[in-house]
Structures are given as structure tokens and as C-alpha cells.
Amino acid sequence: MPYRQLPQIQDLHRRFLDRLQHAQDDKEPRGLYEPIEYILSIGGKRVRPLLALIAARMFGDGEGLRAGMPVAMAVEVFHNFTLLHDDIMDESPLRRGQPTVHRKWDTNTAILSGDLMLIQAYGHLAESADPSRIPVLLNTFNRVATGVCEGQQFDVDFERKHHVTIEEYLRMIELKTAVLLGGALEMGALAAGAGQEDADHLYAFGRLTGLAFQLHDDLLDTFGEGAETGKLTGNDIIRNKKTFLYIKTLEALDAGEREELVHWFSHTPEDPAPKVARVTEMMRLRGIPELVAELRDDFQRDAYDHLEAVTGDSGWKAVLRAVAEGLLQRAS
Amino acid sequence: MPYRQLPQIQDLHRRFLDRLQHAQDDKEPRGLYEPIEYILSIGGKRVRPLLALIAARMFGDGEGLRAGMPVAMAVEVFHNFTLLHDDIMDESPLRRGQPTVHRKWDTNTAILSGDLMLIQAYGHLAESADPSRIPVLLNTFNRVATGVCEGQQFDVDFERKHHVTIEEYLRMIELKTAVLLGGALEMGALAAGAGQEDADHLYAFGRLTGLAFQLHDDLLDTFGEGAETGKLTGNDIIRNKKTFLYIKTLEALDAGEREELVHWFSHTPEDPAPKVARVTEMMRLRGIPELVAELRDDFQRDAYDHLEAVTGDSGWKAVLRAVAEGLLQRAS
């Protein structure tokens, strides 16, 4: 069953949206709070808060939901803050099919509303039911948030660099994507009273799933069916995006072909079809898709090993596994 | 004696700069941390961290410095974060006589580095020597930081509004400036073990001093000697800035003169001298400078009453009074 249809997920999702919906009510000045309300209302899969709530339920039983909700709010508001500021930096016109905040309002509003969202994320942490847990949650949140900013800067740096190693690339996607998935689980568990060892295993599970998900995403973009992703296949190649596939291919090629690939990635031809065809051919000939799929599966296997080691409720562990499987199938 | 020459202030200032100096060492990626190092190194009076450290010494004796340092770092990093993002929004080329971060690097760097500074401010809070104090510090910091963002938005809104009341204006400067001065004192005291009542009195002292300071600053800008402020007199009038003086004058005028004042503030003539002369004349004729000076003195008197009520060390209370006097004389 797709994880979205699990009754446990549907229940947590509904409760989370209830909490999210009125968070900006009655706050002034409206010019500051309306953009926050807007970005939080235009959807998204709410994966991070669900992970936090699942981890909290895994350790907190009936009280888990109350214990995990502040963390769920904190990670979702933080994630949307990063989207808001990233959209300014990337000059993106659309987010989830809707105008971005800096387009619907203006850049200054997007900067300031984003700043306040980051403060609000910490405000939610401070609402934790058990204040004695706040110092450890604060430390974890700071570590994760710092990592996300560092990952964003590495990504910017890579755009300008000629040579990026596989290790550097993996570190970048780890920071940019994986640590927040891991952090949501770790903090959800800690908020509900889990020990650090269990929290660490959940963090590792989230982090490795995040890495697997990113590689899966890269594969789908280049080798998936358009219908599967709702996006054009080959989009990363058209946009000269230095994905894991690209870097791995570059490593595998001999000098002449390497020059050809670098050349394809140095411009954006009017008709992208021959470029996409030739680049995917180069990738296929070197067995890159299989190689990346294998690495993805390694990450996911390691992730499940960490999940196995967690001592929390087995029913909720099964739910978590279903979520990971769902993310990797894009059945979500 | 000017407060900067007090041995207690010089000692705290030196220790604070020692702590500040190496906070960004060895952190990667450098493209993210160098702008932070830069903005924190180009000076400023360090008033907010000094306030936090004085309050901590007032209650923590020998341990006060260690207890107060995380708060001192948090408020200084937070304050510089607001400057960094404000400079983007205002398109300011200079800060403290040096190029702003978005000019020296670029806007995207300034956004992201600023975001990380806000996270770092919370990181410093989390370093508090007594973890049981962290929840109350976190709540106070969130309240203050939220206020500063709201104040910034009110300021933006006022630029576009025709009519701003005195109450609205005071609320704006309270949020934009005064709450962080009060918050630095409140958090410094709380970190060193003060009770909430003493912390509240210190907050009120800082808030009222901040309000008095802002009115003093407005007065100096329009009626001070250029030599006293290092700025051109009448700068606010030339820039059509709706200060307390302007709003108060508008309230006091009859309909015909009100129209004249609004007209002067609707454009920026090539030669500003006649505009400055006429506007200051209108203000003088209605006794506005005296009225504003009186309100400033009322705020400051109330501030000293709150300081009197604080139960902490009287030597450090005298130091704090000297700082407030110094700020209001601009002898600093």
C-alpha cells in the first residue's frame, strides 16, 4: 500500500495540518506574516514533519504526538524558510506551481519573512512539552541548520568549479538534503524521550535514505519515464546540472570523450534533443546508471540496517520503512 | 568620565573582542564564513554585548563573565545579522565606512551568510554554562528577535503610508531598536542566575533607554551640531524620513501648514538648504524640539527608576547608568 494511504500516516498528516493552519493568525504586521502563511499553505509533501512525528510516536506512545509536534513544526517551517530564500537566490518564478514569494510580493519581503520563519522554527522548538529536552533539541537543530546552509554554499561553489570530486558532491547533497531528513527523525525521537543511541540510528537511517533518494532523483531525471516524475526527462542535462551521474561519467571517460562531455555541458543548444541523446548514450555505454543504482541500493540497505537497530515500537518502524520505500518509488 | 574609559568597561570590551575574534576560524566553506568574519570585524560600538556582560556581572560575580558571554555573542551576532540583511534591503553601499557584504561579495552571499549568522546566534545561546537556563533564554531571544523583524516591517510599511500616529511610530522604534537593548540586559541577567523580576526591570531600563536614545538621535540629526554627530545636520529632513519630530510636527500644525510640510516631504530639491531651513523653522515655532526633549527625558527618568529597583550589585548598576548617560550624550 502506498504510504500515504496508511491510516497512521493519514492521521499524523491531518493533525499536523491542523496545527500548521492557524500558526500565523492574528499576527501583525500582516505584510510580514501573510507571505509566511502563503508559503506554508501551498502544499508540499510534509515529509519532514511526518518523519518527526513518526519518530516521536515510536518512543512516546500516546504522548508522542504532543512531544513531537513542536519538532514537526520547527522542521517544516525551517524547510520552507530555506525554499523561500533559495528561490530568491535562484530567481525562481514558481514554487509548487504557484508564484514564489519574491515574485508575488518582492525580494525585501521575501528576505524578511524568511528571516522570521527561521526565528519561528526556533520558537516552535521552545514550545517543547518537556523543557529539560530543549538544550539537546537546540543543539541538534543548530547542527542541522548549519549543515543545510553549508550545503547550499557548496552547491553554489560547485557551479563555478571545473572539477568536483564524488566525495565533495556526496558531502554537498548530504548537507543540503539528507541531514534535515535525519535531523527530523533524531529530534522527533529525542523530544519523545528516546536515548541518544536510538536517536543516532534514526538520524543515520534518515541521512542514508536522503542520499539514496537524491541519487534516485538524479536517475529518474535522466533515465525515468516523463509520466513517472511529471517532469521532462533529461532536464538536468539540458540545464548543465553537475549531478552525481555527470561527475561519475566524467570520471569514467577517457580524455577525448571527457572533453566532449565538458563541451556539451558548457552550452545550452536551442534543440536539446541531440545533446540529451548523446549524453545519455555516453552514460549508458559506461554503465553509469547501473553503477548509480547500485550505490543508491547500498545506501538504502545501510539505512534499513540502522532502522533495524532502533529499539522503538515495531509497528511505527514498519511505517517508517514504508515511507522510505514510497520516497524511492515516487509513489508518494 | 566617559563610560568607554571606565576600567570595568574596558575589561569587558577586551574580553568580548577576544571571544569574537576567532569564532569563524577553520570553518568551511570559506565563501560562507568569510563574510561573517568580515561584518563582525569592521567595528561597531559593541553596546549590546557590553550590556549583556554588565548585567551578568551584576548578578553572577566572578562567574558572571562566563555565564554572560554566550548571550553577549548571541546578541552581537544577531545585531550584525540584521545589519547585513537590512543593508541588502536598503541597497546601502557602506557600513561603518566599509563596503557592505552584498557589495563586497554579492546579494546571494549576503542572504546566505546572514541566515547562518542568525543560526549562529542561537548556537551561542546553546553554549550557556547552565543548561537549565537555556529554555528561558531561548524564549526571551525568540520574543526579542521576532520583535526586531516586526519593527523592520512596520518601518517599511510606514514609508508607504500617508498617516502614521505617534503611537505607531513609538511602537516601531521600540521593536526595531529598544527591545534588543532591553533583551541583551534581560538575557545577561537571566544567564547569570537573576530572578525574572530583576531581569524585567533591566529589560524595562534598556527598552526605555533605547526609546530615549532614538528620540535623542532624531533631535541631534535635525538640531544638533554637525561636529557632535559626525553627520550633516538635517539629513533626516533631506531624506524625507518620517521621524518622531516630523510626525509630532504634523500633529501640531493647522491644515494649511500641514499641507506645506507634506509637500516639502514629497520631494528632494537639488539645493536642500531652503527646505531644511523652513522645516526646522516650522518645528521650532511649534516648540517641537522642546517637546521631544521632554519626552526623551521622561523615558530616561523612567529608565533610571527601573534601574534603581534592580537588586543586583550597586557598582555594576553605576556602570550601567554611566553607559546610558554616555549613549545620550554621544560621548561614546
Side-chain angles (χ1 to χ4, degrees):
Chain A
M1 194 195 298
Y3 80 91
R4 294 253 152 217
Q5 289 169 29
L6 293 174
Q8 297 98 320
I9 292 287
Q10 293 192 334
D11 180 55
L12 294 181
H13 193 241
R14 188 176 46 75
R15 286 165 187 266
F16 177 70
L17 291 184
D18 281 351
R19 173 72 187 80
L20 186 69
Q21 204 158 22
H22 299 292
Q24 317 301 323
D25 285 0
D26 307 322
K27 291 186 177 170
E28 295 274 353
R30 295 307 298 161
L32 185 58
Y33 287 98
E34 270 166 13
I36 301 178
E37 206 163 66
Y38 172 75
I39 181 92
L40 289 173
S41 73
I42 60 173
K45 296 198 297 287
R46 318 293 183 188
V47 172
R48 292 157 195 81
L50 282 175
L51 292 177
L53 292 174
I54 294 168
R57 288 292 275 109
M58 195 180 287
F59 289 95
D61 301 322
E63 278 302 289
L65 190 78
R66 201 164 71 95
M69 194 58 85
V71 169
M73 287 293 292
V75 295
E76 183 67 358
V77 171
F78 176 80
H79 175 60
N80 280 273
F81 142 75
T82 65
L83 299 181
L84 212 165
H85 277 192
D86 284 0
D87 284 342
I88 305 173
M89 300 189 225
D90 298 339
E91 301 177 17
S92 305
L94 294 175
R95 165 69 58 187
R96 297 165 186 153
Q98 303 285 329
T100 46
V101 168
H102 67 100
R103 286 287 179 96
K104 194 173 160 78
W105 284 271
D106 52 48
T107 298
N108 286 359
T109 302
I111 293 174
L112 190 60
S113 295
D115 291 344
L116 183 56
M117 289 177 83
L118 180 48
I119 294 164
Q120 287 191 340
Y122 284 99
H124 290 299
L125 273 197
E127 291 163 359
S128 293
D130 177 358
S132 74
R133 293 259 149 189
I134 289 177
V136 69
L137 291 174
L138 183 60
N139 268 320
T140 310
F141 194 87
N142 287 332
R143 190 193 81 218
V144 166
T146 302
V148 172
C149 287
E150 290 176 353
Q152 173 68 14
Q153 182 67 38
F154 279 124
D155 199 9
V156 170
D157 291 347
F158 289 176
E159 297 277 317
R160 298 174 191 153
K161 264 174 99 164
H162 280 295
H163 184 66
V164 175
T165 68
I166 286 292
E167 286 70 30
E168 288 174 327
Y169 181 82
L170 285 177
R171 177 79 184 135
M172 186 272 285
I173 60 170
E174 175 181 0
L175 289 169
K176 228 189 131 170
T177 310
V179 300
L180 185 54
L181 295 171
L185 288 161
E186 180 182 354
M187 290 188 283
L190 289 172
Q196 191 64 51
E197 200 177 330
D198 278 320
D200 287 345
H201 279 304
L202 280 170
Y203 174 79
F205 164 76
R207 174 185 159 273
L208 289 160
T209 299
L211 288 169
F213 175 74
Q214 187 64 53
L215 297 186
H216 187 63
D217 204 50
D218 288 357
L219 275 173
L220 280 188
D221 186 277
T222 303
F223 298 101
E225 298 300 318
E228 210 173 327
T229 58
K231 291 193 241 173
L232 261 172
T233 307
N235 207 25
D236 287 345
I237 295 173
I238 296 167
R239 288 166 53 229
N240 302 315
K241 208 173 145 199
K242 291 175 193 158
T243 64
F244 192 83
L245 283 170
Y246 170 80
I247 298 168
K248 204 74 198 168
T249 308
L250 213 55
E251 274 194 357
L253 294 175
D254 56 42
E257 285 176 314
R258 196 175 298 146
E259 208 172 299
E260 188 194 338
L261 183 59
V262 169
H263 176 73
W264 279 118
F265 267 63
S266 69
H267 66 298
T268 308
E270 193 126 343
D271 174 14
K275 173 177 170 179
V276 172
R278 174 61 183 143
V279 172
T280 55
E281 183 190 42
M282 291 171 95
M283 289 173 171
R284 274 194 213 278
L285 283 173
R286 297 287 166 163
I288 302 299
E290 294 75 16
L291 206 143
V292 174
E294 203 176 301
L295 184 62
R296 173 198 63 196
D297 296 342
D298 286 349
F299 281 141
Q300 198 55 53
R301 206 171 312 112
D302 288 352
Y304 292 143
D305 286 348
H306 281 286
L307 183 58
E308 273 308 299
V310 172
T311 67
D313 176 86
S314 61
W316 285 103
K317 281 167 66 172
V319 170
L320 203 47
R321 188 169 171 129
V323 174
E325 282 166 2
L327 287 175
L328 288 174
Q329 287 167 11
R330 278 299 180 84
S332 55
Chain B
M1 192 197 297
Y3 81 90
R4 293 253 152 218
Q5 289 168 31
L6 293 173
Q8 297 98 319
I9 292 287
Q10 292 192 336
D11 179 56
L12 294 182
H13 192 240
R14 188 176 47 72
R15 286 165 187 267
F16 176 70
L17 290 184
D18 280 350
R19 174 70 187 83
L20 186 68
Q21 204 158 22
H22 298 292
Q24 317 301 323
D25 284 2
D26 307 322
K27 291 184 176 171
E28 294 276 355
R30 294 308 297 160
L32 186 58
Y33 287 98
E34 270 166 13
I36 301 178
E37 205 162 66
Y38 172 76
I39 181 91
L40 289 173
S41 73
I42 60 173
K45 295 198 297 289
R46 318 293 184 188
V47 172
R48 293 157 195 81
L50 282 175
L51 293 177
L53 292 175
I54 293 169
R57 289 291 275 110
M58 194 181 287
F59 289 94
D61 301 322
E63 278 302 289
L65 189 80
R66 200 164 71 93
M69 194 58 85
V71 169
M73 287 293 293
V75 295
E76 183 67 358
V77 171
F78 175 80
H79 175 59
N80 280 274
F81 141 74
T82 66
L83 300 181
L84 211 164
H85 277 191
D86 284 0
D87 284 342
I88 306 172
M89 299 188 225
D90 298 339
E91 300 178 20
S92 306
L94 295 176
R95 166 67 60 186
R96 297 164 185 153
Q98 304 285 330
T100 45
V101 169
H102 67 99
R103 285 288 180 96
K104 196 174 157 80
W105 284 270
D106 53 47
T107 298
N108 285 358
T109 302
I111 292 174
L112 191 61
S113 294
D115 291 344
L116 183 55
M117 289 178 83
L118 180 49
I119 295 163
Q120 287 191 341
Y122 285 98
H124 290 299
L125 273 196
E127 290 163 0
S128 292
D130 177 358
S132 74
R133 293 261 148 188
I134 289 177
V136 68
L137 290 174
L138 183 60
N139 267 318
T140 310
F141 195 89
N142 287 333
R143 190 193 80 218
V144 166
T146 301
V148 172
C149 287
E150 290 176 352
Q152 173 69 14
Q153 183 67 38
F154 279 124
D155 199 9
V156 170
D157 290 347
F158 290 177
E159 299 275 318
R160 297 175 193 153
K161 263 175 100 165
H162 281 292
H163 184 67
V164 175
T165 68
I166 287 292
E167 287 69 33
E168 288 174 329
Y169 181 81
L170 284 177
R171 178 78 184 136
M172 185 273 284
I173 60 170
E174 175 181 359
L175 289 168
K176 227 189 134 171
T177 309
V179 299
L180 185 54
L181 294 172
L185 288 161
E186 180 181 353
M187 289 188 282
L190 289 172
Q196 192 63 51
E197 199 175 331
D198 278 320
D200 286 346
H201 279 304
L202 280 171
Y203 175 78
F205 164 78
R207 173 185 160 272
L208 289 160
T209 299
L211 288 170
F213 175 75
Q214 188 64 54
L215 297 186
H216 187 64
D217 204 50
D218 287 359
L219 276 174
L220 280 188
D221 186 277
T222 302
F223 298 101
E225 299 299 319
E228 213 173 323
T229 58
K231 288 194 245 175
L232 262 172
T233 309
N235 206 27
D236 287 345
I237 294 172
I238 295 167
R239 288 166 53 227
N240 303 316
K241 210 176 145 198
K242 290 175 193 159
T243 64
F244 192 83
L245 283 170
Y246 170 80
I247 297 167
K248 205 75 197 167
T249 307
L250 213 56
E251 274 194 357
L253 296 175
D254 55 39
E257 286 176 314
R258 197 175 298 147
E259 209 171 297
E260 188 194 339
L261 184 59
V262 169
H263 176 71
W264 279 118
F265 267 63
S266 69
H267 67 297
T268 307
E270 192 127 343
D271 174 13
K275 172 177 170 178
V276 173
R278 175 60 183 144
V279 171
T280 55
E281 184 190 40
M282 291 172 95
M283 289 174 172
R284 275 195 214 278
L285 284 173
R286 297 287 166 164
I288 303 300
E290 294 75 15
L291 206 143
V292 174
E294 205 176 298
L295 184 61
R296 172 198 63 196
D297 296 342
D298 285 349
F299 280 142
Q300 197 55 54
R301 206 171 312 112
D302 287 352
Y304 291 143
D305 285 348
H306 280 286
L307 183 57
E308 273 310 297
V310 171
T311 67
D313 177 86
S314 62
W316 285 102
K317 280 167 67 172
V319 170
L320 203 47
R321 189 170 170 126
V323 174
E325 284 165 0
L327 287 175
L328 288 175
Q329 288 167 11
R330 279 298 182 85
S332 56

